[in-house]
């Protein structure tokens, strides 16, 4: 019987309700019930037959779904918005399965985003220790100098700590327009991180697109389109996290 037991927060994450870290918060806040009884201990283990409710919602084990989405700019990376703006899940209203964005892309940032109902997978993709690489193309005001590139490659000090070393490649510099087109790869996911890294040197980012994540690309997709990831692609992403 002990082999069938699993931690309550893992059960919640595997249901697709939320990530494991968020599940832990919900447990400690007294928002989780097991067989009708409120549980607040993180060490609690449950059986497959146990009835688990989170915030009044009974958990159902759903088939796992993983979608690669080309997020347009001016779309919110969320499942709802109190100001009525378009959110990423609006593009998948016909799905019966509830899905959630993996990590974030800023409102003004376009590009590759994964949506899923697998909370454990979300944690693997977003936790800094797993170092999933994310590649962006940024258009900057001004010239990005060689010394600035070297600093980015070593890591720079931002208000929330020093960044991990980045991979930086200048694609084009336009003298007449005084702009730089640059490709940058990072393994973190802080709020507005890429924009803040360039703003550190006084370069405003006028356009930003995430073009790759964990080896996945936007090939074959236009903005606003998505596709289901293959089992092989999901396994590859899990392996990347395991080796991170």
């Amino acid at each position: 019987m002990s082999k069938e037991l699993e931690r309550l927060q893992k059960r919640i994450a595997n249901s697709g309700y939320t990530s494991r870290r968020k599940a832990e918060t919900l447990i400690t806040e007294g928002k989780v019930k097991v067989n009708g009884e409120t549980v607040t201990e993180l060490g609690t283990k449950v059986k497959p037959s146990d009835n688990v409710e989170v915030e009044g919602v009974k958990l159902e084990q759903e088939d796992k779904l993983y979608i690669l989405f080309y997020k347009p700019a001016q779309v919110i990376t969320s499942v709802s918005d109190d100001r009525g703006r378009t959110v990423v899940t609006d593009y998948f209203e016909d799905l019966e399965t509830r899905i959630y964005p993996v990590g974030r892309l800023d409102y003004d940032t376009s590009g590759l985003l994964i949506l899923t109902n697998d909370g454990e997978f979300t944690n693997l993709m977003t936790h800094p220790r797993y170092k999933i690489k994310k590649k962006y193309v940024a258009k900057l005001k001004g010239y990005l100098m060689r010394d600035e590139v070297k600093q980015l490659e070593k890591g720079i000090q931002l208000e929330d700590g020093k960044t991990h070393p980045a991979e930086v490649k200048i694609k084009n510099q336009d003298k007449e327009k005084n702009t730089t087109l640059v490709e940058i790869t990072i393994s973190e996911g802080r709020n507005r991180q890429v924009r803040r890294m360039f703003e550190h040197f006084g370069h405003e980012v006028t356009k930003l697109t995430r073009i790759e994540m964990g080896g996945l690309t936007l090939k074959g997709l236009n903005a606003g389109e998505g596709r289901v990831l293959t089992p092989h692609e999901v396994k590859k992403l899990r392996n990347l996290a395991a080796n991170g």
Side-chain angles (χ1 to χ4, degrees):
M1 177 64 72
S2 61
K3 291 183 179 181
E4 297 179 354
L5 295 175
E6 67 177 343
R7 289 186 180 275
L8 180 56
Q9 56 265 43
K10 184 177 181 181
R11 169 80 169 272
I12 296 170
N14 286 343
S15 75
Y17 189 90
T18 188
S19 69
R20 187 185 293 195
R21 283 182 290 173
K22 177 62 175 177
E24 291 175 348
T25 300
L26 292 171
I27 293 169
T28 58
E29 290 178 347
K31 297 180 179 179
V32 178
K33 290 183 178 181
V34 177
N35 299 326
E37 299 291 332
T38 300
V39 174
T40 57
E41 294 294 329
L42 293 181
T44 301
K45 293 186 178 182
V46 293
K47 302 188 296 293
S49 59
D50 286 334
N51 176 30
V52 178
E53 293 182 26
V54 183
E55 298 179 302
V57 178
K58 182 179 177 181
L59 297 188
E60 302 290 349
Q61 295 295 326
E62 299 177 312
D63 291 337
K64 298 298 183 287
L65 179 63
Y66 311 86
I67 294 177
L68 188 155
F69 178 55
Y70 188 158
K71 180 185 112 49
Q74 284 77 59
V75 173
I76 304 293
T77 304
S78 181
V79 298
S80 63
D81 179 62
D82 56 11
R83 292 165 57 184
R85 294 172 295 180
T86 302
V87 298
V88 292
T89 50
D90 287 341
Y91 290 83
F92 304 96
E93 289 181 327
D94 292 338
L95 285 179
E96 294 183 1
T97 301
R98 295 182 305 170
I99 55 174
Y100 306 84
V102 176
R104 301 190 65 82
L105 280 181
D106 298 334
Y107 179 70
D108 293 322
T109 300
S110 62
L112 194 157
L113 182 71
I114 297 174
L115 296 100
T116 185
N117 59 345
D118 186 341
E120 188 67 18
F121 175 84
T122 296
N123 185 56
L124 289 175
M125 294 301 102
T126 56
H127 198 289
R129 73 168 176 266
Y130 298 119
K131 300 180 180 178
I132 299 296
K133 289 187 176 182
K134 295 168 279 285
K135 183 182 293 185
Y136 299 78
V137 171
K139 186 176 183 181
L140 318 176
K141 286 186 178 181
Y143 264 35
L144 186 66
M145 307 303 291
R146 187 184 300 271
D147 178 62
E148 294 170 342
V149 171
K150 289 183 178 179
Q151 290 183 59
L152 290 168
E153 290 175 337
K154 292 180 180 178
I156 60 172
Q157 189 69 38
L158 299 179
E159 62 269 24
D160 53 355
K162 188 175 181 179
T163 63
H164 293 174
E167 301 171 23
V168 184
K169 182 179 181 181
I170 294 176
K171 306 289 288 184
N172 183 53
Q173 290 185 311
D174 190 319
K175 292 183 179 180
E176 293 185 2
K177 296 181 179 179
N178 190 33
T179 59
T180 297
L181 190 67
V182 60
E183 189 176 273
I184 181 168
T185 302
I186 63 173
S187 58
E188 301 172 276
R190 306 186 203 177
N191 184 40
R192 295 177 58 83
Q193 181 173 341
V194 172
R195 294 180 185 275
R196 290 191 292 125
M197 289 170 74
F198 289 119
E199 288 169 358
H200 176 81
F201 301 105
H203 300 298
E204 179 186 348
V205 177
T206 59
K207 186 176 182 179
L208 183 63
T209 302
R210 182 156 72 189
I211 61 171
E212 187 174 326
M213 176 178 172
L216 295 175
T217 71
L218 294 168
K219 183 178 180 180
L221 295 178
N222 296 314
E225 295 180 342
R227 68 173 179 83
V228 176
L229 292 180
T230 67
H232 174 74
E233 288 172 325
V234 175
K235 183 178 180 180
K236 183 178 177 182
L237 288 170
R238 289 185 179 277
N239 288 340
L240 283 174
N243 295 325

